[in-house]
Amino acid sequence: MTSLTGAWINSEGCHSLSTTCVSTILCHDFSELKFSLQRTNAPFFETVIRYLGGLLSAYAFSNDPLLLERADELGAALLPAFNTTSGFPVYSVRVATGVPSQNSAGWLAEIASCMMEYKYLAKVTGKKEYFVAADTVMRRIYDANVTKYPGGLLPSQWDLRTGEPLNGTYFNRINLSIFTL
């Protein structure tokens, strides 16, 4: 799905190629995938950034209502991930049943990386629940007591029940120095 937008951009001026890519992906028989999802959980973070983000960005380029329909279906299927007392999403959701995983802690990237996709999905579908879910995450992080962390940096791990930081681990120049030459 993430390559769908790339195909759209690279085929600029060649509408038939873009249409073929979209048709191939959206008309593919995903029955085996649907069957396997009934027995497994979909990782929220990965599914949002790759599948939901891919569908939404391709929709933004094409205005193809089928892309929006699929994005809406996926966004709704993942929405139970936000069913925590803090409103922070859990690691995964069993898409077939809507049952979220039962983890009590989450990484900042997994918790907060859904805002763009869910707020855009709310805008293009007119469904308030998508905006509320993403905005709750943003508000909880904004309102959290992070005064003990240096320079306003956010901690890496959060309690999914309370919405508060769990540890003193944060990313700073020292932690990131392993990436510099």
Side-chain angles (χ1 to χ4, degrees):
M1 282 297 162
T2 53
S3 61
L4 185 56
T5 304
W8 206 275
I9 293 168
N10 291 330
S11 64
E12 188 177 333
C14 184
H15 183 72
S16 63
L17 178 59
S18 304
T19 304
T20 301
C21 289
V22 170
S23 297
T24 300
I25 290 171
L26 296 179
C27 295
H28 184 72
D29 179 13
F30 289 108
S31 58
E32 288 181 30
L33 178 62
K34 287 178 186 174
F35 177 72
S36 69
L37 284 177
Q38 290 180 10
R39 296 174 292 152
T40 61
N41 289 358
F44 179 78
F45 169 74
E46 296 294 337
T47 306
V48 167
I49 66 169
R50 300 194 196 303
Y51 288 88
L52 186 57
L55 286 165
L56 289 171
S57 62
Y59 170 73
F61 275 100
S62 69
N63 286 318
D64 185 322
L66 190 53
L67 289 166
L68 180 57
E69 182 181 326
R70 293 291 188 266
D72 188 18
E73 290 170 2
L74 182 56
L78 295 174
L79 210 50
F82 294 97
N83 291 344
T84 61
T85 53
S86 67
F88 287 170
V90 294
Y91 174 76
S92 64
V93 174
R94 182 154 298 182
V95 176
T97 62
V99 175
S101 61
Q102 297 301 310
N103 51 314
S104 60
W107 295 101
L108 179 61
E110 292 174 347
I111 293 168
S113 294
C114 61
M115 289 185 245
M116 182 172 56
E117 290 88 351
Y118 268 91
K119 285 185 177 185
Y120 182 66
L121 185 58
K123 178 181 178 180
V124 295
T125 63
K127 294 184 178 179
K128 185 178 179 180
E129 61 266 26
Y130 296 140
F131 180 85
V132 169
D135 196 54
T136 298
V137 172
M138 185 176 76
R139 293 275 163 218
R140 292 299 299 251
I141 291 172
Y142 181 79
D143 291 341
N145 180 9
V146 293
T147 55
K148 66 180 180 179
Y149 301 97
L153 297 175
L154 295 173
S156 60
Q157 204 169 33
W158 294 72
D159 187 315
L160 300 180
R161 293 173 299 230
T162 65
E164 291 296 319
L166 261 183
N167 62 11
T169 304
Y170 54 90
F171 297 102
N172 63 19
R173 280 184 243 120
I174 295 169
N175 297 64
L176 297 176
S177 64
I178 60 171
F179 298 109
T180 59
L181 298 176

